[in-house]
Amino acid sequence: MIVNVIGGSGFIGSRLVNRLLSNGLKAVVLDKVASTNRTVQCNIVNVNDCKLLSSSLASGSIINLAAEHRDDVTPKTLYDEVNVEGARNVCIAAEVNNIRTIVFTSSVAVYGFAPLGTDESGTFSPFNDYGRTKLEAEYVYREWQSRDPESRSLVIVRPTVVFGEGNRGNVYNLLKQISAGFFLMVGTGRNLKSMAYVENLSAFLEHALSFGPGVHVHNYVDKPDLDMNTLVATVYAALRKTPPKFRLPYSAALLAGKCLDTLSLLSGRKFPISSIRVKKFCSNTMFNTNVSSTGFVAPVELLDAFERTIRYEFVDDNTNKQVFYTE
């Protein structure tokens, strides 16, 4: 089977492509940048170019990972151009190539600041353009599936925050600050965080290719969920460091983030701390999932995944390996 991986040169896509190849599947990467995996066919294409996208797809199935997702995307119209218009182009390209299976990576951001334990039936309330456009893209894909419901398979996967080796997102920033001794705990630390290890998510995306006709919606979360106190303590223990006792109150951190937002707007410079990142750090993001109902079992336990990531980033020498800036 041929799997077209749109966004296959990115963080999740690279791991997914390696997994597909190792399991005997043929992968074709479609991305605006070249894949570092020289053993895979890579077509340079942007999801905004419908004609080129259509001619670049191979017969088989689609996994779409392409997205604008950073908190600081400018101009903001890129969210709609890539996430929503890109979804429309993927559906058109699928029609042209008679492709009947699409796996779309959406996000738990469609729920916004959701109640604890929100599952796939949760209320949609996105708080930013990323979540809004991911939700709009879901509707685009649902409309595609509804045009031939008896033969088309649509799998919507809503991952929580994804971490792993080589990623330079928010989880890495937390690990780096702790490793460098610059970390300062904000708030009570009792807020729960759902997370997903990149290898486990990749395994589930591969698993989803086997689903039959219909619409299948799954949050992706690696259980158990950890609160920030437990997460931070786990990282300190893995690095054999002692956590500091001082904590910065949430209100003070939020004020500092807003000040830096203003400074960033005036100067054009981007800072590692912002009000939205403070809110994300201190918010509850604990989700439930029906993934187990599909028969899927994650290959790596969550705490083992953290240990692998910490060892890769801060113990072993991997300075020449590829990194991905995702948040």
Side-chain angles (χ1 to χ4, degrees):
M1 175 170 51
I2 299 176
V3 184
N4 297 280
V5 185
I6 302 174
S9 297
F11 172 53
I12 300 171
S14 295
R15 293 291 283 263
L16 173 61
V17 167
N18 289 340
R19 183 177 187 86
L20 294 173
L21 295 176
S22 67
N23 289 334
L25 299 175
K26 181 177 179 180
V28 175
V29 171
L30 300 97
D31 206 309
K32 60 185 180 182
V33 297
S35 172
T36 57
N37 187 335
R38 303 305 180 192
T39 67
V40 68
Q41 178 184 340
C42 180
N43 298 325
I44 304 301
V45 57
N46 193 306
V47 291
N48 294 124
D49 189 335
C50 187
K51 184 176 180 180
L52 182 58
L53 181 64
S54 297
S55 64
S56 300
L57 285 175
S59 297
S61 57
I62 293 173
I63 298 179
N64 184 19
L65 295 154
E68 283 291 348
H69 48 75
R70 289 178 61 96
D71 294 327
D72 53 2
V73 168
T74 53
K76 290 187 177 295
T77 53
L78 285 173
Y79 289 111
D80 290 274
E81 291 170 7
V82 175
N83 298 349
V84 183
E85 292 305 317
R88 293 193 178 99
N89 290 336
V90 169
C91 290
I92 292 171
E95 294 263 12
V96 170
N97 290 277
N98 195 31
I99 290 174
R100 298 183 178 183
T101 297
I102 295 179
V103 180
F104 170 56
T105 52
S106 183
S107 170
V108 293
V110 299
Y111 305 115
F113 292 114
L116 291 176
T118 294
D119 62 14
E120 289 81 358
S121 65
T123 301
F124 299 134
S125 185
F127 66 88
N128 60 11
D129 289 304
Y130 171 64
R132 173 184 60 80
T133 53
K134 277 292 191 179
L135 181 58
E136 290 182 21
E138 288 190 16
Y139 292 134
V140 171
Y141 286 111
R142 284 178 180 273
E143 199 278 330
W144 166 82
Q145 194 278 336
S146 71
R147 291 200 293 272
D148 190 0
E150 299 302 318
S151 65
R152 289 180 178 176
S153 174
L154 170 63
V155 186
I156 296 173
V157 183
R158 298 171 181 155
T160 186
V161 61
V162 183
F163 74 97
E165 302 90 337
N167 180 252
R168 292 297 180 268
N170 288 338
V171 174
Y172 171 81
N173 291 335
L174 171 65
L175 301 179
K176 183 179 180 181
Q177 288 171 13
I178 294 175
S179 176
F182 298 140
F183 175 73
L184 182 61
M185 188 68 175
V186 175
T188 65
R190 293 192 292 270
N191 52 308
L192 293 166
K193 293 291 184 185
S194 288
M195 287 172 286
Y197 179 48
V198 62
E199 190 64 32
N200 292 341
L201 174 58
S202 298
F204 182 70
L205 293 174
E206 178 188 18
H207 178 64
L209 293 169
S210 66
F211 298 173
V215 178
H216 314 268
V217 181
H218 304 282
N219 294 342
Y220 190 83
V221 182
D222 282 323
K223 297 292 185 177
D225 302 289
L226 307 176
D227 65 23
M228 286 305 302
N229 287 328
T230 302
L231 173 59
V232 169
T234 299
V235 177
Y236 273 104
L239 293 172
R240 298 182 180 180
K241 293 177 176 286
T242 302
K245 295 182 179 180
F246 178 76
R247 295 168 183 263
L248 184 65
Y250 172 73
S251 57
L254 185 60
L255 177 61
K258 289 181 177 179
C259 290
L260 288 173
D261 289 345
T262 302
L263 185 58
S264 177
L265 183 63
L266 295 174
S267 67
R269 180 181 175 187
K270 297 178 180 179
F271 297 95
I273 298 174
S274 65
S275 61
I276 189 62
R277 287 180 176 170
V278 172
K279 289 179 181 178
K280 283 184 175 182
F281 182 86
C282 294
S283 66
N284 282 298
T285 53
M286 194 277 275
F287 296 89
N288 284 334
T289 173
N290 60 18
V291 160
S292 62
S293 67
T294 71
F296 176 77
V297 177
V300 184
E301 294 289 337
L302 183 59
L303 290 179
D304 289 342
F306 268 107
E307 291 180 2
R308 290 186 183 190
T309 303
I310 293 168
R311 185 170 60 250
Y312 180 95
E313 298 291 358
F314 306 107
V315 178
D316 300 337
D317 183 9
N318 289 295
T319 52
N320 294 324
K321 298 292 181 65
Q322 185 179 16
V323 296
F324 301 89
Y325 293 88
T326 59
E327 295 178 86

